[in-house]
Amino acid sequence: MGLVMRLCTIMHKVLFVAVMVSSNGYSSNGIGLNDTARPEVVKIGALLNFNTTVGKVAKVAIEAAVEDVNRNKAILSETTLNLTLQDTKNSGFLGMIDALSLMDGETVAIIGPQTSSTAHVVSQIADEIQIPMLSFGATDPTLSSLQYPFFVRTTQNDLFQMEAIAEIIDYYGWRDVTAIYVDDDHGRNGIAALGDKLAERRCRISYKAPISPSPSHKELSSQLVNVNSVESRILVLLAYADWGLEVFNVAQELGMTEIGYVWLVTDWLASTFDTESPLSSETIDRLQGVITLRMHTPDSQQKTKFVSGWSKLTRDKMVNGSFGLNTYGLYAYDTVWLLAYGIDAFLKQGGTISFSKDPKVTEQHRGTMKVDEVSIFDGGEGLLKTILQVNTTGVTGPFKFTSDRNLIHPAYEVMNVNGTGFRRIGYWSNYSGLSVDPPETLYTKPPNRSSSSQKLRKVIWPGKTPQKPRGWVFPSNPRQLRIAVPKHVIYHELVSLKGADSFSGYCIDVFTAALGALPYDVPYKLHAFGDGHNKPKISELLQLIEAGIYDAAVGDLAITNNRTRIVDFTQPYVESGLVVVAPVQKLNSNSLAFLRPFTPMMWLVTGLFFLIVGVVVWILEHRVNDDFRGPPKRQIATIIWFSFSTLFFAHKQNTVSTLGRFVLIIWLFVVLILNSSYTASLTSILTVEQLSSTIKGIESLVTSNDRIGYQRGSFAENYLAEEYSIARSRLVPLNSDEEYARALKDGPRKGGVAAVVDERAYIELFLSTRCEFSIVGQEFSKSGWGFAFPRDSPLAVDMSAAILKLSEGGELQRIHDKWLQRNACSSEGAKEDVSRLHLKSFWGLFLMCGVACLLSLLLYLITILRKFSVYSEDTEPSSRLTSSPGLRTFFSFVSEKEEDIIRRSKKRRMESASNRVRGGDESTNSSFGNCNSSNENQ
């Protein structure tokens, strides 16, 4: 009985403890209980800016989400969320104080803060006390999990928004960008990310205009005046919604919303449209043509239901009237559900809601601040882990984190302000880039980031024009461009100095014509570069452009790989490459020049085939054609005459057999090709002057030890030394065309050079009056001449388009003919030796002819054997008894005319028939005679 009483007492105490634990919501020792020991209430907090476009929407969305979660018993069972909202009033200091007030030893998680600047401060406190912070509005890319492990971004990372803007800029072919941004952590880090994404596409931010977080009208006006003074007209605006529209008010006053400007605005503008719509007509007019982004949330039943009930929610919860719903509100709503799922999983895994003192601050006092009262959430790491493992679908679509704690499938809608609102012109996603199709339809296909797949719909730009802006202009009151022109020492047809900074020549005419083709004026002044005695080094000139001493260079500037690393070149206006020029001698013509078109082997095979075809045709025609019969001498003469007369299609013998005609048709086709090729080659040999030189091209120069000349200041020196490993001691710099001629005439034995290596354009001018020299070998480097500009210069792009326009219109060729028209001597000297015709070029023809001959002979032999067998059977029996048919009989049969054989065969058959009839009559008479004799005897 005592034992029973003792057991009842123990059970009573256990039940009492269980009830106390259930009522208090957490155990005193912090040991987790099972799912039935859930707390009745879990406290969460939220840090918002109530009076901002994002904050007031988020407040309603968060409160609605908490109510929906508490009504849904399938997620937290009997546990309810207790929300505490704090208004930080857009102050980082107040945000820190409010965060500390929420961290009172009972709050397990905080939704927010709303801004990135506050998140940087508060996240350090959250890390210390291990309370997860779920922010739906802090998009700063530097809020990483490595620095702030308890910070969880439940919206899209600005890194993706900046990548989308960079791809739009690259899609339209712009290169220089001006960034206007709020000067805080959010703005600075966002623009830094934009700069990195632009650099990946060889674009850049050429000017930055920071603006304070709470700017005045005067500050905005001052910064936009500075922006308007630079060349770039691609303006990226990263601001806050509460003062972002004021930027466009000032921009309109300065004329910066007209044609020629491009405004790319981050998603704050779309949030303003969604929340404050309809905007005033004056505001809409200022925004015409602006491109903005909006976080993309796919359509679903959940989203439709939530959006349709939004008006009622705002009327019930707000005193100042209803307002629209933006995407930050959608993410705020999903953030509450994400937290609820995380807490539910945390409790199901045995987690408990308990707090303990931080040993690092227990003994620390900071004046009147009770720092030692701050407690650490013991289950913070466990709750953070379950939150990051949530995989659900909310009003924003699939809600899941990647390994780097970004939400999956980041995507944006590209919007264009037009008319009374804005319209969608496409989408961007990190999966397939720019597209006119929703991203969710592309996730089932392989990713395609090729330039041809990037598409956006038609845009109406500022000034209500559909024409894409150029993206840059010369700033107001610009200085004249300092353009360097290398002084030419040798070829004044290219560039010549007529007076003080007055130039003429081919390069100058091309440059001025290209400037004239531009749709705007370019103020410039030409400056001579060089001393006039030695050709200036182009590499030094390009380095001065890179240093900003000159704004461009015009002249015979060869485009090489090393030079493109320093400056940007325009489209080449002259195609030119390195060639070898050497002394040449004319080949003397002789009486056997007509034999040179064909090689000896070609002559031998051609003559042999003439005889072979003649013999084959004779064999095929001998039995049926009288033209191929007669005495042996006549038949040999016929074969030879017939064969070679086909060369001129003058054969008088007719072919009557089918096989003979077949062989003759094939052979006449071969003769036609041979005749035409021979005639063309002989014409070239007799009309083009043949030149000879011991130098055959760059290969023979490399293998020799002779000295090589080059134009001083040319890139040829480094090219020969680096690409062909020619010792620099063998390279001789030459400074004029007279030095070229003298060095080539002297040769290496007299202190000259074996050859000169220079660009073809120079050499053609050099050879125009010197026929004793010529280009030998092939051009061994491909390059061209262009105008040089600083790296990423937009003027270089426009000048390239102008040069192409001149080329297509024929103006470039007319300028070329005006200055660089070559005479007959240079054209003649530049000709190379005419190649002889080799057997390998015609072996297919000969093979075809040989096969036709063999096939015809085979068919002929089969036919003859068949006829010979018939002929042998028709032979008289006495003949067959005396001699059997053999080779002599066969050859006799073949050599005899077919008509005679046929006539003889008919005659023999008739004689055989008559003999059979005569023999029968004699037998009959003999029988009758025998009968009569018998009768008589009887």
Side-chain angles (χ1 to χ4, degrees):
M1 187 69 178
L3 179 61
V4 174
M5 290 296 293
R6 207 173 291 119
L7 290 174
C8 290
T9 303
I10 294 173
M11 290 295 296
H12 178 73
K13 290 182 179 179
V14 171
L15 290 174
F16 176 79
V17 171
V19 171
M20 292 299 295
V21 169
S22 176
S23 63
N24 291 333
Y26 55 89
S27 62
S28 59
N29 57 10
I31 298 175
L33 302 177
N34 57 22
D35 193 44
T36 61
R38 284 173 175 263
E40 291 183 358
V41 176
V42 174
K43 291 184 64 175
I44 61 174
L47 298 175
L48 306 175
N49 300 333
F50 290 173
N51 293 326
T52 61
T53 301
V54 174
K56 63 183 181 181
V57 173
K59 180 178 181 296
V60 176
I62 290 173
E63 290 176 342
V66 171
E67 293 175 0
D68 292 343
V69 169
N70 289 335
R71 279 195 298 265
N72 189 337
K73 299 304 180 181
I75 177 171
L76 284 173
S77 186
E78 299 301 324
T79 302
T80 60
L81 296 180
N82 186 0
L83 172 67
T84 301
L85 288 169
Q86 295 284 9
D87 184 5
T88 63
K89 300 185 184 301
N90 204 22
S91 170
F93 175 74
L94 291 179
M96 181 182 65
I97 298 300
D98 291 337
L100 286 172
S101 68
L102 291 174
M103 301 171 186
D104 55 358
E106 295 182 2
T107 303
V108 300
I110 295 176
I111 298 174
Q114 179 182 318
T115 63
S116 299
S117 299
T118 306
H120 276 281
V121 177
V122 178
S123 292
Q124 299 183 37
I125 302 174
D127 294 342
E128 184 67 29
I129 61 177
Q130 300 184 10
I131 292 182
M133 297 186 63
L134 290 72
S135 178
F136 60 88
T139 57
D140 181 358
T142 63
L143 287 167
S144 65
S145 58
L146 295 177
Q147 184 179 4
Y148 306 111
F150 279 84
F151 175 82
V152 179
R153 182 186 287 109
T154 59
T155 187
Q156 298 297 348
N157 192 331
D158 256 353
L159 183 69
F160 300 112
Q161 182 170 202
M162 296 306 153
E163 184 175 358
I165 293 176
E167 289 207 22
I168 293 172
I169 292 170
D170 183 55
Y171 173 76
Y172 288 110
W174 299 314
R175 289 293 173 262
D176 283 0
V177 176
T178 295
I180 307 170
Y181 60 97
V182 58
D183 193 15
D184 61 4
D185 291 334
H186 171 57
R188 286 190 297 270
N189 295 329
I191 293 302
L194 175 62
D196 293 339
K197 295 301 180 181
L198 288 173
E200 293 175 3
R201 294 157 179 81
R202 203 182 170 185
C203 306
R204 63 169 185 166
I205 299 176
S206 58
Y207 185 78
K208 294 181 179 181
I211 298 175
S212 64
S214 299
S216 63
H217 185 278
K218 182 178 179 181
E219 180 186 355
L220 291 177
S221 179
S222 175
Q223 282 288 25
L224 291 184
V225 167
N226 295 334
V227 168
N228 205 31
S229 65
V230 299
E231 295 181 1
S232 174
R233 288 295 181 264
I234 311 301
L235 311 178
V236 176
L237 177 59
L238 194 163
Y240 289 125
D242 54 348
W243 55 265
L245 293 178
E246 183 63 20
V247 174
F248 287 96
N249 184 24
V250 177
Q252 187 182 44
E253 295 174 0
L254 298 175
M256 298 175 65
T257 58
E258 303 298 329
I259 294 178
Y261 290 86
V262 175
W263 285 90
L264 299 173
V265 182
T266 52
D267 59 359
W268 66 263
L269 181 57
S271 298
T272 302
F273 262 97
D274 293 335
T275 308
E276 308 296 342
S277 183
L279 300 177
S280 65
S281 59
E282 294 81 3
T283 301
I284 292 292
D285 288 341
R286 300 186 193 110
L287 297 172
Q288 290 297 308
V290 171
I291 291 180
T292 185
L293 299 179
R294 179 168 63 185
M295 288 183 286
H296 175 64
T297 56
D299 295 331
S300 63
Q301 291 183 353
Q302 289 177 267
K303 178 180 175 182
T304 302
K305 181 180 178 181
F306 184 67
V307 172
S308 62
W310 179 255
S311 296
K312 184 177 184 304
L313 283 174
T314 55
R315 285 195 303 268
D316 295 343
K317 296 181 179 295
M318 301 302 293
V319 179
N320 299 326
S322 62
F323 44 80
L325 173 64
N326 56 48
T327 52
Y328 285 100
L330 296 176
Y331 278 105
Y333 182 83
D334 276 351
T335 300
V336 176
W337 280 92
L338 169 70
L339 180 56
Y341 281 116
I343 294 173
D344 185 56
F346 171 73
L347 295 175
K348 286 181 177 179
Q349 294 173 11
T352 60
I353 309 299
S354 64
F355 294 85
S356 60
K357 299 298 183 181
D358 188 349
K360 291 184 291 184
V361 299
T362 300
E363 299 178 356
Q364 300 295 324
H365 297 277
R366 295 294 186 267
T368 59
M369 296 184 65
K370 300 179 180 180
V371 181
D372 56 332
E373 293 183 1
V374 176
S375 299
I376 295 177
F377 177 29
D378 296 329
E381 291 187 359
L383 178 58
L384 175 66
K385 182 179 179 180
T386 57
I387 289 173
L388 295 175
Q389 291 176 344
V390 170
N391 183 4
T392 184
T393 300
V395 295
T396 59
F399 215 90
K400 182 182 178 182
F401 293 99
T402 62
S403 59
D404 55 357
R405 292 197 186 179
N406 287 317
L407 291 179
I408 61 172
H409 302 324
Y412 288 85
E413 299 174 8
V414 186
M415 316 298 291
N416 179 215
V417 181
N418 184 21
T420 59
F422 56 18
R423 62 186 181 89
R424 187 188 303 113
I425 61 173
Y427 301 87
W428 177 90
S429 70
N430 71 330
Y431 187 78
S432 294
L434 298 173
S435 171
V436 296
D437 299 319
E440 53 269 19
T441 64
L442 302 176
Y443 294 142
T444 58
K445 303 176 183 178
N448 186 359
R449 300 302 290 268
S450 63
S451 58
S452 60
S453 68
Q454 305 298 294
K455 294 180 181 179
L456 289 175
R457 295 187 181 92
K458 186 178 180 181
V459 177
I460 302 299
W461 303 100
K464 299 181 180 180
T465 175
Q467 184 176 0
K468 185 195 77 172
R470 186 171 69 245
W472 70 278
V473 295
F474 286 102
S476 56
N477 300 321
R479 63 175 177 82
Q480 289 183 327
L481 297 182
R482 291 175 52 84
I483 299 179
V485 181
K487 280 187 179 180
H488 247 283
V489 180
I490 305 180
Y491 305 111
H492 298 288
E493 298 93 338
L494 301 174
V495 174
S496 63
L497 180 62
K498 298 189 297 183
D501 297 330
S502 178
F503 297 86
S504 65
Y506 171 65
C507 300
I508 303 301
D509 280 6
V510 173
F511 176 70
T512 55
L515 286 181
L518 296 178
Y520 50 88
D521 294 329
V522 179
Y524 70 94
K525 185 177 182 180
L526 300 178
H527 298 266
F529 178 76
D531 57 11
H533 301 290
N534 297 297
K535 182 176 179 179
K537 291 186 177 181
I538 302 302
S539 58
E540 295 178 358
L541 172 58
L542 300 183
Q543 290 172 358
L544 293 177
I545 296 176
E546 184 183 30
I549 305 301
Y550 292 109
D551 298 303
V554 172
D556 49 332
L557 310 176
I559 303 173
T560 65
N561 182 46
N562 291 334
R563 293 177 179 180
T564 56
R565 300 173 183 173
I566 303 175
V567 297
D568 279 351
F569 285 94
T570 62
Q571 172 78 17
Y573 60 90
V574 167
E575 296 295 335
S576 183
L578 292 178
V579 294
V580 178
V581 62
V584 294
Q585 293 179 348
K586 297 179 181 179
L587 294 177
N588 296 325
S589 299
N590 53 47
S591 58
L592 299 178
F594 67 91
L595 295 176
R596 292 174 60 188
F598 287 170
T599 60
M601 181 58 67
M602 183 69 180
W603 279 117
L604 177 62
V605 173
T606 302
L608 184 62
F609 260 84
F610 270 107
L611 295 177
I612 291 174
V613 170
V615 172
V616 170
V617 172
W618 177 83
I619 293 174
L620 298 176
E621 294 289 325
H622 177 68
R623 300 184 69 249
V624 295
N625 194 340
D626 292 336
D627 291 340
F628 291 88
R629 298 186 64 81
K633 291 183 178 181
R634 178 185 173 188
Q635 293 186 47
I636 293 174
T638 299
I639 292 173
I640 297 174
W641 169 256
F642 177 82
S643 299
F644 289 97
S645 62
T646 56
L647 179 63
F648 310 101
F649 305 98
H651 48 284
K652 64 179 182 178
Q653 291 84 1
N654 294 323
T655 53
V656 296
S657 67
T658 302
L659 294 177
R661 290 175 177 176
F662 171 70
V663 171
L664 184 60
I665 288 174
I666 299 298
W667 175 243
L668 290 178
F669 174 74
V670 174
V671 169
L672 176 64
I673 300 301
L674 293 175
N675 198 359
S676 301
S677 303
Y678 176 85
T679 303
S681 180
L682 183 62
T683 302
S684 298
I685 290 174
L686 297 180
T687 56
V688 178
E689 196 169 31
Q690 302 298 296
L691 306 174
S692 67
S693 172
T694 57
I695 304 297
K696 301 302 180 183
I698 185 63
E699 292 79 9
S700 58
L701 282 179
V702 172
T703 56
S704 70
N705 293 319
D706 295 333
R707 301 191 341 149
I708 304 170
Y710 68 93
Q711 184 180 173
R712 186 187 300 273
S714 170
F715 74 94
E717 178 187 10
N718 290 332
Y719 189 87
L720 293 174
E722 295 173 3
E723 298 295 329
Y724 289 93
S725 301
I726 297 177
R728 294 184 184 270
S729 58
R730 293 176 54 196
L731 303 178
V732 180
L734 304 173
N735 210 35
S736 65
D737 50 356
E738 288 79 9
E739 290 185 15
Y740 277 23
R742 184 166 56 252
L744 288 171
K745 289 179 180 178
D746 291 343
R749 294 184 179 180
K750 297 182 180 180
V753 296
V756 170
V757 175
D758 206 347
E759 295 181 68
R760 177 178 286 275
Y762 296 133
I763 295 302
E764 288 178 350
L765 289 172
F766 171 71
L767 295 176
S768 62
T769 56
R770 294 174 173 84
C771 296
E772 66 272 25
F773 309 110
S774 177
I775 295 174
V776 294
Q778 300 291 330
E779 188 175 300
F780 60 92
S781 80
K782 292 292 184 181
S783 63
W785 291 352
F787 305 132
F789 291 88
R791 294 275 292 177
D792 301 319
S793 171
L795 187 55
V797 178
D798 289 352
M799 286 291 286
S800 294
I803 291 172
L804 288 174
K805 184 177 179 181
L806 294 177
S807 178
E808 293 171 357
E811 181 65 21
L812 205 60
Q813 186 62 42
R814 286 189 289 270
I815 299 174
H816 180 276
D817 295 341
K818 173 185 174 182
W819 291 98
L820 306 179
Q821 186 67 44
R822 295 176 295 163
N823 59 23
C825 183
S826 85
S827 299
E828 178 183 297
K831 295 283 186 179
E832 298 180 1
D833 192 14
V834 179
S835 300
R836 304 177 75 181
L837 300 176
H838 296 268
L839 178 62
K840 63 181 180 181
S841 301
F842 299 93
W843 71 269
L845 283 174
F846 289 124
L847 177 63
M848 178 180 66
C849 184
V851 170
C853 292
L854 291 176
L855 182 62
S856 299
L857 288 176
L858 180 61
L859 293 175
Y860 178 77
L861 180 59
I862 294 173
T863 304
I864 288 297
L865 289 175
R866 183 175 58 83
K867 291 181 178 181
F868 180 68
S869 62
V870 175
Y871 171 77
S872 299
E873 293 176 358
D874 292 340
T875 306
E876 294 181 1
S878 59
S879 299
R880 282 183 290 183
L881 292 174
T882 57
S883 63
S884 61
L887 287 177
R888 181 177 299 177
T889 306
F890 176 75
F891 283 121
S892 175
F893 173 79
V894 171
S895 64
E896 193 170 357
K897 192 173 182 180
E898 188 168 357
E899 293 180 357
D900 296 340
I901 295 175
I902 293 173
R903 189 183 307 111
R904 188 181 307 115
S905 297
K906 288 181 179 181
K907 182 178 180 181
R908 287 176 179 173
R909 285 196 293 271
M910 292 177 63
E911 291 177 353
S912 298
S914 61
N915 289 334
R916 286 195 296 270
V917 171
R918 188 180 304 113
D921 293 341
E922 290 177 356
S923 299
T924 302
N925 294 331
S926 175
S927 299
F928 281 123
N930 293 332
C931 290
N932 292 332
S933 299
S934 175
N935 291 332
E936 288 176 359
N937 292 330
Q938 289 177 357

